[in-house]
Amino acid sequence: MGIELNRRHFLSAAASVAGLAAAAPLLSACSGSASQTSTVNTASGLQAALPAYVPSTALKPDFPSMAGGPDVMTDPGFLSYPANPVTTVSGVPGRGGSYTAVTPLWGTVPTAGNSFYEAMNKALGVTLTMKPADGNNYNTIVPTMTAARQLPDWINLPSWWNSNFNVGELAGSQLADLTPYLAGDKIKKYPNLAAIPSAAWRVGAWGDKLYGIPCFSSGFVVAGGTFYRRDILESKGITADQVRSAEDLMSLGKELTDAKRGVWAFGDVWTYMFGAWNLPFKWAIDNGKLVNKYELPAFLDALDWHYKLATSGYMHPDTLAGDNANSGTRFYAGKELIQGGGMGAWVLADYQSGVAANPNYRRGAFNVITADGKGTPRTSMGASSSMISYLNANLKPAQIEELLSVANYLAAPYGSAEYTMANFGVEGVHYTRQNGVPTFTDEGKKNVQATTFPFLASPRSVISNPGGDVVTKDYTAWQTANVKSLTKPVFWNMNISMPQWAATADAGQAVEDTIKDCYHGKKKVSDVQAAIASWKSSGGDRLTQWMTDNVLNKYGTGQ
């Protein structure tokens, strides 16, 4: 998820779901037979469908992107918002067409036909009727549309709900094939879209054809990090580089916990510590065979450590009771000093909330470590984008081209004139400059701050928190320190349509529920082993074989 000033694109809960889902294959359930795999991309077919990548040079970041390997790179960082935004699109992109668009919205839906929508239509040269839908119920709203074949002209389909939406079946039937317009050098007709790294386009490719337009793409996507109160730890002479193993972290828990003062070292860190045991979020290749994470010995080792943590007395009682809603409050108050979370937490709004509670507040994140403190740290990358928009298959070629021109406008780089318009509206009406930073007026808060247009198309993510330079400096430094630890997991950025039974087995809900009870100290590792055994016999083994036969053996690992 990209960070744009002090705005949050999702509610915290939605961002957490997105972050975790991004680390798994992009699944789409289907009602067909077990042999249904037509939507998986072949290496050669995908290569032919992907657009060329032509980086933008419109603005020079304060912290340039650093490469960590193929398709792996840090997000560029900006300390200030450009005083004079550059124009990247000549003229008005549209030709007067009228279209409808649906995007998820986690917040109050703006009034239809408001001043921002009107201003955007004028800037885009089209009449784009925005119809934001409740993000919390989006996974039930969209299937109703698809069942009735009443999709709008343009729609955002978050990839973590691919199985709910059956995107694999929609591709080519209800969703337009963009390959003829964007494959290879054809995308150069749309320079801002061409500035989106090629890996992000993989997320919207199905069956060797390109359908989706990525939003908020990044070459540095992880499920999250293990955060800590940097100000408090450093006041005790503790720095992040002193933590190099899981044992170091446990020892730190003992040192920091003072229950009599109402201070505990830990909140939840499960999932965000996976990298320490070199665990995948779903699948691994072991001696040439596909193995689910549940069957890896290291998985039980990781779970055993977390069970010991839960029963050590170092975790906050409210965390153990499952109270996640108030974890931020505990962190700000210094009652919980270490907790896992999505990287979307590391933003200006967090800094402002923290400083309001304690003037010395500073968030930090431990580097990726190995459980035993030896070897090279590794952590799995997530999908390069999780917010994907699609055009309706009923659109005529001229209409598709018009909307791609609009998408090119919306994908203008951070700080450009077009980006400023799409994200902040009209200066003097929707925002004013305060210390050089675009700041919403009441009108802007009402109609612009609820993200809509960026869910149709947006540039690659950046790190920028004007007014909170320490956030940008700390976060960019952390990405730079860890970028070489990122590795592509098995089936990375691959879209896989599977039968419903397989999608259910893939979710492993009963196992996941038992795991949660285990890392909260309510059940033992042996209980998880029993749940895994039940999962294997009730569909897990069949799933592994299905993935081996229909994906691995035919299409490889995607790495």
Side-chain angles (χ1 to χ4, degrees):
M1 190 55 51
I3 298 172
E4 300 177 5
L5 301 183
N6 62 341
R7 302 174 61 192
R8 306 193 74 132
H9 300 299
F10 303 95
L11 294 179
S12 297
S16 298
V17 172
L20 296 178
L26 306 172
L27 304 179
S28 180
C30 67
S31 57
S33 67
S35 62
Q36 170 70 31
T37 58
S38 61
T39 60
V40 182
N41 300 298
T42 64
S44 59
L46 180 63
Q47 188 61 36
L50 288 178
Y53 173 47
V54 184
S56 172
T57 58
L59 293 110
K60 183 179 180 181
D62 296 287
F63 302 99
S65 181
M66 302 287 290
D71 302 315
V72 184
M73 64 190 82
T74 64
D75 296 323
F78 293 83
L79 291 175
S80 60
Y81 199 84
N84 300 297
V86 299
T87 299
T88 66
V89 175
S90 177
V92 177
R95 298 190 295 271
S98 295
Y99 306 96
T100 56
V102 172
T103 60
L105 190 146
W106 290 272
T108 303
V109 176
T111 303
N114 64 68
S115 61
F116 174 55
Y117 288 177
E118 291 179 353
M120 279 298 294
N121 282 340
K122 182 178 179 180
L124 297 174
V126 296
T127 299
L128 189 58
T129 301
M130 300 297 293
K131 297 182 177 181
D134 179 13
N136 295 317
N137 298 307
Y138 203 66
N139 60 324
T140 60
I141 294 171
V142 172
T144 301
M145 298 180 189
T146 59
R149 301 188 70 87
Q150 292 182 346
L151 284 177
D153 298 309
W154 203 346
I155 189 169
N156 183 289
L157 301 178
S159 65
W160 63 87
W161 279 323
N162 277 351
S163 62
N164 297 80
F165 302 151
N166 285 334
V167 179
E169 291 189 354
L170 298 178
S173 59
Q174 297 189 46
L175 305 177
D177 178 8
L178 304 181
T179 316
Y181 308 92
L182 299 177
D185 289 341
K186 294 177 181 178
I187 199 172
K188 292 181 179 179
K189 180 180 179 180
Y190 312 101
N192 290 328
L193 291 178
I196 298 173
S198 296
W201 293 95
R202 291 177 56 164
V203 185
W206 300 82
D208 292 343
K209 294 182 179 180
L210 183 66
Y211 293 92
I213 301 170
C215 308
F216 310 111
S217 61
S218 173
F220 195 110
V221 179
V222 292
T226 304
F227 296 112
Y228 66 97
R229 279 293 299 271
R230 180 168 175 173
D231 55 311
I232 294 177
L233 268 64
E234 289 188 347
S235 71
K236 298 176 180 294
I238 302 168
T239 57
D241 59 3
Q242 295 171 347
V243 176
R244 299 179 180 178
S245 68
E247 182 180 354
D248 289 343
L249 202 56
M250 188 73 77
S251 297
L252 188 58
K254 180 179 181 180
E255 180 177 350
L256 295 175
T257 298
D258 188 345
K260 291 182 179 180
R261 291 180 51 246
V263 176
W264 285 265
F266 289 97
D268 277 337
V269 292
W270 176 258
T271 297
Y272 309 107
M273 285 285 292
F274 263 36
W277 284 268
N278 196 25
L279 284 169
F281 282 92
K282 189 69 69 173
W283 300 100
I285 301 297
D286 185 20
N287 293 321
K289 293 184 178 181
L290 185 66
V291 180
N292 190 279
K293 64 178 181 180
Y294 295 149
E295 301 178 82
L296 295 171
F299 185 82
L300 296 179
D301 292 340
L303 197 57
D304 181 62
W305 184 89
H306 281 80
Y307 176 77
K308 290 177 180 176
L309 177 63
T311 56
S312 66
Y314 308 151
M315 287 186 74
H316 198 289
D318 291 348
T319 293
L320 292 174
D323 177 12
N324 293 322
N326 296 303
S327 61
T329 300
R330 296 193 293 270
F331 195 64
Y332 296 142
K335 301 298 183 182
E336 196 170 280
L337 304 181
I338 301 170
Q339 58 181 218
M343 301 313 298
W346 216 343
V347 292
L348 181 61
D350 167 79
Y351 178 70
Q352 292 170 332
S353 296
V355 169
N358 185 321
N360 298 317
Y361 175 82
R362 188 176 181 184
R363 179 181 290 268
F366 293 112
N367 289 333
V368 179
I369 61 173
T370 57
D372 61 4
K374 303 175 183 178
T376 302
R378 291 283 182 262
T379 192
S380 293
M381 290 177 62
S384 302
S385 177
S386 58
M387 296 294 286
I388 312 295
S389 75
Y390 296 87
L391 301 182
N392 195 305
N394 292 329
L395 293 171
K396 298 177 181 179
Q399 292 176 310
I400 291 177
E401 291 179 344
E402 183 174 28
L403 288 181
L404 288 176
S405 293
V406 170
N408 182 65
Y409 179 105
L410 298 177
Y414 169 86
S416 64
E418 298 83 7
Y419 178 97
T420 304
M421 179 66 191
N423 287 273
F424 298 101
V426 178
E427 186 169 7
V429 177
H430 303 109
Y431 76 92
T432 58
R433 293 262 185 170
Q434 294 184 15
N435 297 321
V437 181
T439 304
F440 287 117
T441 62
D442 289 341
E443 176 72 9
K445 292 176 182 177
K446 181 180 179 181
N447 295 317
V448 186
Q449 193 167 8
T451 302
T452 49
F453 289 95
F455 283 170
L456 296 177
S458 47
R460 60 174 296 189
S461 297
V462 305
I463 300 172
S464 183
N465 305 275
D469 288 357
V470 65
V471 181
T472 298
K473 291 177 180 178
D474 286 350
Y475 189 17
T476 54
W478 184 84
Q479 283 201 359
T480 299
N482 290 276
V483 68
K484 292 188 180 299
S485 297
L486 270 63
T487 59
K488 297 177 181 178
V490 175
F491 306 138
W492 180 72
N493 273 9
M494 289 178 68
N495 284 322
I496 301 170
S497 288
M498 56 173 57
Q500 188 59 57
W501 68 263
T504 299
D506 185 77
Q509 195 57 56
V511 179
E512 293 298 320
D513 290 342
T514 309
I515 288 170
K516 184 175 181 180
D517 284 340
C518 183
Y519 68 73
H520 282 163
K522 298 175 182 177
K523 290 187 178 180
K524 297 181 179 180
V525 175
S526 58
D527 295 317
V528 177
Q529 289 179 290
I532 291 173
S534 177
W535 169 82
K536 285 171 56 64
S537 62
S538 63
D541 285 341
R542 184 184 176 197
L543 169 67
T544 301
Q545 191 61 52
W546 189 92
M547 292 291 290
T548 299
D549 295 340
N550 294 286
V551 184
L552 178 65
N553 290 346
K554 293 181 179 180
Y555 304 100
T557 65
Q559 297 167 300

